[in-house]
Amino acid sequence: MSSNLSRILDSVDPFIGTEPADLPAAQGLAASWWWPKAQVGNTHPGACHPLGMVSACACSGAYPTGYGRYGMSTEGAPAPLYDDYLASGFTHFQQSGTGAIRKYYNYFRVTPMIEPLDALGTRWKLQNESAEPGYYAATLENGIHCELTVGEKTAVHRYTFPEASSARVVLDFSYGGLAIEHGTTVPLRAGLESLGQGCAQGTVVMEGIPLSVYIDSDTPKSWRQLVWYDRRRVDGGTRLDFDYIRRTTLRPFGLMFMGPTRAGTTVEIRMGFSMRGTGQARSNLEQSLPGGFEHGFDRVREQTHDAWAGYASQVEVDGGTPERRTVFATSLYHSLIKPCFAEDESPFWPSKGPFVFDIATMWDMYKTQFPLLTALDPAKGALMLESLVRIAEEEGNLPIGYRMARGSDRFFRQASALAHTVLADGYQLGLEGLEWDWALVHMQDDLRRGYGEDFADRGIAHPVSHTLDLAAGYWCTAIIARGLGDHRLADELEAKSRAWTNAFGGDGLLRDSSFYEGGRWNYSFRLLHDMAARIRIAGGDKEFTAILDRFFGYGAGPVTQLGVPPFGPEFAIGQDLNRFQGLNNEPDMEAPWAYHYAGRPDRTAEIVHAALSYQFGTGRGGLPGNDDSGALSSWYVWASLGLFPVAGQNLFLVNAPAFGGASLHFGGNDFELVTHGHVESGIGEDAAGASAQYVQSARFNGKPLDHGFLTGNQLHGGGRLEIELGPEPSDWATKTRPPSASDRPDPARGGGARLQEFSP
């Protein structure tokens, strides 16, 4: 392991984003942005394996991961739920950075105690917390030191006890969810069995998912193991079975190991998980610890550390202040926690193959996190796409979001046809292993579900943002159809993809409609597949730039952010601004790069510089809003590298990087980013007075790069991008714009596709 790699991992701070945003007062352009959504990252510091199925963390029942001390929040700063950081035990399967998803997991709570069983559910203060990738530790106020680590499908707990006449480790099979209204998860069915000799197994059905666990423990010889029900030991009992549990009849139940301890006595609990029964759960544990379970904690911790190191070694940056490197390293870490890859674990279909869940915020992830995942691990990206197609095959639709819960799609109001963009990118990158003919069938079918019926029949759907989604979905589907040789189908799909024009009014913005979180200004600057035509609708480059300038607050004064609800008039005042919501809200994530299409990459540089300087920081309050399964963190990674993926278009826009250089291993190849004239700048208060830098010229693989973009194949194929930076805007990338549908030549038809109004 190189010393540079070690520094990258050492720079990760898993506590970033666990508290409300606590960022230094923004200056300049960033001070004019108004960000109303929940101003908290909603992350947790628990032990996670990169893209693994299992996480483990201290659980207080706080929103939305179970960790922390805050209640539910959708706007402004969250109100405290507790005064201190507390834990009633340690749970598994946490979300990461999500908002109001209403499925909160936190299953199989493990609680070390020196108190009687009646005290189960007590929340002890957490002391001396520490965390690193794959590891979490804290000491409970009762003196028990707790350590957690995880593998892909396993978790290992290690508890060090003080002297006690009757200590215990209690596993609560009935617990799930959060300590907020409507946050509890109740098992429908359950069964558990104490197997003796420190082993046990069981299954609970949570949200329609049969989740099984196999447990192996290392306890003192004098300890006993037994089952319990309603906080009472079942003496002599070795099994508990519940055929049907109702919320009104639920009583806590589980398994317990107990006995006396001397100061320093350690107990290790090793857990394998599966959605296909206890036999597979045991096999998963055995596979993670070949040769036996001895020293399981240290071995699993080392394996997971190495897995994180493997990803960290693929993105190395040069220079940067310690604070900027911490935020960057942590962003890379947060970007790779989700989604959860659970090979051969689908509870809904019996065949082997990929199963991916916790695509809980595809609305955000498809723009930034999916392209980063696919760049770092093309094989994993292909498996994710195969899983999406399998979900459509088995459950009837390509999901907008997918969780570890029965019913694949509860996110249909957010957006439409998002999987189409990911599939189109994967096809253009040449990802292997998918049956693209079959994927095309499902993509076509999916375009007519939900809001797609209105779009197909009338050329417009409301909320009108779905019109943009569906038009892009038709465009992405046409890419695959044409690539497979079905030009007639591709022509039909492309014709319907032009209906995005129906969403816009005469003022160059989207028509009035309802919008999911945000208003028509927030949704009006999507990077459509035909930005050239979109700019013509606004009246041309100058007029489009003027609208963008107003949106981003050029010339505007500072605004007042929301505090803790209930709000006063500042909420209505902020809404009336129709302003960029920073990186606090999903629809705005790509808007800074819209300037590239109007020949103003200098504006992109200014906005991205302001966001990187003032919207992120170190410490628990270092994120401006929900991390959304790593989508926000992925934005930071891309923006820091001077790149931005345009979803579904196999395109990466180029901007001034925040670091002096970077060595990337993308698509299985080495990509080197080199700058000349780079000037270091800090974040927050250290950014005061630092101006944006502008690209003066660029070269790719030794040849001049006069346009502000690379294709995905160029980025994944490896090479060397050299960027000359300076303190003033230049004419770089002002003449040749990123490609658009209406000016992109179509080899199959011998010319460009002309934009025209769609009529059904």
Side-chain angles (χ1 to χ4, degrees):
M1 185 183 302
S2 71
S3 59
N4 185 55
L5 171 56
S6 178
R7 288 198 304 270
I8 289 175
L9 283 184
D10 289 345
S11 295
V12 173
D13 180 3
F15 290 99
I16 288 180
T18 59
E19 283 194 356
D22 183 20
L23 303 168
Q27 299 186 23
L29 190 62
S32 70
W33 303 339
W34 185 72
W35 25 302
K37 279 188 61 180
Q39 294 167 5
V40 57
N42 282 348
T43 59
H44 69 82
C48 301
H49 187 284
L51 306 170
M53 172 176 151
V54 179
S55 57
C57 191
C59 182
S60 66
Y63 179 87
T65 66
Y67 173 82
R69 62 189 192 93
Y70 294 94
M72 184 172 180
S73 60
T74 57
E75 294 168 334
L81 192 62
Y82 312 112
D83 293 332
D84 294 292
Y85 282 92
L86 309 173
S88 64
F90 303 88
T91 55
H92 309 87
F93 305 99
Q94 288 79 16
Q95 288 291 331
S96 180
T98 53
I101 61 166
R102 294 184 175 82
K103 300 298 172 199
Y104 302 112
Y105 302 173
N106 292 294
Y107 302 145
F108 294 114
R109 181 175 62 181
V110 181
T111 306
M113 304 172 64
I114 54 176
E115 297 80 5
L117 186 58
D118 279 338
L120 184 66
T122 298
R123 295 184 179 91
W124 293 274
K125 289 183 182 179
L126 291 170
Q127 302 169 344
N128 302 319
E129 285 185 283
S130 64
E132 63 186 49
Y135 175 81
Y136 172 85
T139 300
L140 301 180
E141 63 179 311
N142 59 12
I144 303 172
H145 184 61
C146 312
E147 299 173 275
L148 310 176
T149 192
V150 297
E152 289 185 89
K153 300 181 181 180
T154 61
V156 187
H157 300 234
R158 184 164 66 192
Y159 301 114
T160 303
F161 285 86
E163 184 173 354
S165 59
S166 181
R168 67 201 76 220
V169 177
V170 182
L171 287 82
D172 188 343
F173 280 58
S174 66
Y175 184 84
L178 303 178
I180 61 171
E181 187 177 7
H182 308 304
T184 302
T185 301
V186 175
L188 175 63
R189 292 181 294 278
L192 65 95
E193 180 180 12
S194 175
L195 302 174
Q197 298 180 334
C199 299
Q201 62 187 17
T203 300
V204 295
V205 178
M206 293 284 198
E207 302 295 345
I209 301 290
L211 187 58
S212 297
V213 63
Y214 178 83
I215 301 160
D216 177 84
S217 67
D218 185 359
T219 62
K221 293 182 179 179
S222 60
W223 277 37
R224 295 185 295 154
Q225 66 185 76
L226 48 102
V227 297
W228 58 272
Y229 175 75
D230 198 14
R231 293 185 175 83
R232 293 293 180 267
R233 297 184 302 186
V234 181
D235 290 326
T238 60
R239 290 186 62 91
L240 290 175
D241 292 286
F242 304 91
D243 293 332
Y244 183 51
I245 301 171
R246 303 178 68 177
R247 190 173 294 270
T248 54
T249 62
L250 175 67
R251 300 292 183 273
F253 58 88
L255 175 78
M256 179 168 60
F257 302 96
M258 63 177 296
T261 57
R262 295 180 178 179
T265 297
T266 61
V267 171
E268 190 167 292
I269 306 294
R270 301 174 280 260
M271 309 172 75
F273 298 96
S274 176
M275 287 175 268
R276 288 187 172 178
T278 55
Q280 188 154 317
R282 177 173 183 170
S283 177
N284 289 340
L285 183 60
E286 291 172 343
Q287 289 176 22
S288 72
L289 291 167
F293 297 154
E294 188 176 1
H295 305 299
F297 187 94
D298 292 330
R299 290 163 59 194
V300 169
R301 181 182 179 184
E302 182 179 3
Q303 291 166 9
T304 299
H305 179 276
D306 289 346
W308 281 112
Y311 282 108
S313 68
Q314 293 182 238
V315 183
E316 300 182 25
V317 292
D318 297 331
T321 64
E323 293 78 14
R324 189 178 287 279
R325 290 183 67 87
T326 292
V327 177
F328 182 84
T330 306
S331 296
L332 182 63
Y333 164 74
H334 279 148
S335 298
L336 295 170
I337 291 175
K338 302 292 181 179
C340 296
F341 283 73
E343 187 83 6
D344 304 335
E345 290 290 349
S346 168
F348 305 125
W349 53 85
S351 58
K352 291 183 177 295
F355 179 65
V356 180
F357 64 93
D358 277 3
I359 310 175
T361 57
M362 189 186 288
W363 188 40
D364 325 69
M365 297 167 78
Y366 86 99
K367 296 181 181 180
T368 57
Q369 197 269 351
F370 287 173
L372 183 59
L373 163 61
T374 303
L376 291 169
D377 197 336
K380 273 279 199 294
L383 289 175
M384 181 183 68
L385 299 187
E386 186 179 346
S387 181
L388 292 175
V389 174
R390 179 69 65 86
I391 290 167
E393 179 181 346
E394 298 285 345
E395 303 186 24
N397 60 271
L398 287 164
I400 300 299
Y402 200 85
R403 295 174 297 217
M404 191 172 62
R406 182 175 291 277
S408 64
D409 194 3
R410 297 187 179 92
F411 299 84
F412 68 94
R413 290 192 303 121
Q414 287 183 335
S416 297
L418 301 185
H420 296 64
T421 64
V422 190
L423 287 161
D425 277 335
Y427 179 79
Q428 293 172 95
L429 288 170
L431 296 186
E432 299 178 351
L434 279 83
E435 297 182 38
W436 288 108
D437 288 327
W438 193 225
L440 178 60
V441 169
H442 288 298
M443 292 172 75
Q444 286 180 262
D445 290 345
D446 197 71
L447 287 170
R448 293 191 68 94
R449 74 175 180 88
Y451 300 102
E453 289 289 346
D454 284 344
F455 182 88
D457 293 341
R458 300 189 296 111
I460 192 168
H462 285 277
V464 77
S465 59
H466 290 263
T467 299
L468 304 185
D469 294 336
L470 288 158
Y474 274 92
W475 171 260
C476 291
T477 308
I479 289 172
I480 296 178
R482 196 169 300 285
L484 295 175
D486 194 336
H487 300 292
R488 181 194 60 79
L489 174 60
D491 288 345
E492 293 175 358
L493 294 166
E494 282 186 10
K496 289 198 171 184
S497 78
R498 299 171 194 137
W500 64 267
T501 58
N502 297 334
F504 284 88
D507 59 357
L509 298 170
L510 290 176
R511 299 182 187 277
D512 287 332
S513 181
S514 60
F515 293 92
Y516 188 93
E517 297 181 359
R520 71 188 187 113
W521 281 80
N522 303 109
Y523 282 87
S524 284
F525 305 110
R526 286 273 299 276
L527 301 186
L528 301 171
H529 49 284
D530 201 341
M531 287 298 292
R534 189 289 174 239
I535 291 172
R536 288 196 293 271
I537 285 177
D541 290 345
K542 184 177 180 180
E543 291 77 8
F544 182 68
T545 298
I547 296 173
L548 275 174
D549 284 352
R550 181 194 181 287
F551 177 62
F552 283 107
Y554 277 92
V559 300
T560 301
Q561 304 299 338
L562 298 179
V564 177
F567 307 120
E570 68 270 18
F571 189 86
I573 293 171
Q575 278 190 314
D576 288 343
L577 292 173
N578 295 314
R579 191 67 52 76
F580 179 54
Q581 295 183 6
L583 277 302
N584 174 257
N585 200 9
E586 294 77 10
D588 292 357
M589 292 176 75
E590 62 205 292
W593 278 269
Y595 281 109
H596 265 55
Y597 293 85
R600 293 298 305 271
D602 58 310
R603 287 291 204 234
T604 299
E606 291 162 0
I607 294 160
V608 172
H609 170 77
L612 292 177
S613 298
Y614 295 109
Q615 289 273 287
F616 299 86
T618 56
R620 289 179 180 258
L623 289 177
N626 298 169
D627 195 42
D628 289 309
S629 302
L632 175 58
S633 288
S634 297
W635 186 98
Y636 188 92
V637 171
W638 285 121
S640 296
L641 296 173
L643 298 166
F644 189 78
V646 185
Q649 298 183 43
N650 192 34
L651 199 65
F652 286 81
L653 303 180
V654 177
N655 183 40
F659 290 97
S663 298
L664 312 174
H665 191 71
F666 282 173
N669 298 295
D670 293 327
F671 188 95
E672 187 178 10
L673 174 63
V674 179
T675 66
H676 305 286
H678 175 78
V679 177
E680 294 282 7
S681 65
I683 60 176
E685 294 174 345
D686 293 334
S691 300
Q693 291 188 277
Y694 305 91
V695 178
Q696 307 297 302
S697 63
R699 298 177 68 84
F700 179 63
N701 288 342
K703 297 180 179 180
L705 183 73
D706 297 324
H707 50 261
F709 61 89
L710 296 172
T711 68
N713 299 89
Q714 287 174 320
L715 183 65
H716 282 228
R720 178 183 173 92
L721 176 62
E722 296 181 73
I723 298 177
E724 182 77 31
L725 296 171
E728 299 293 337
S730 71
D731 64 353
W732 175 79
T734 59
K735 299 179 177 62
T736 303
R737 313 294 170 78
S740 290
S742 55
D743 59 22
R744 184 181 302 174
D746 180 0
R749 292 182 290 171
R754 183 177 298 278
L755 183 77
Q756 60 188 45
E757 187 77 3
F758 168 75
S759 57

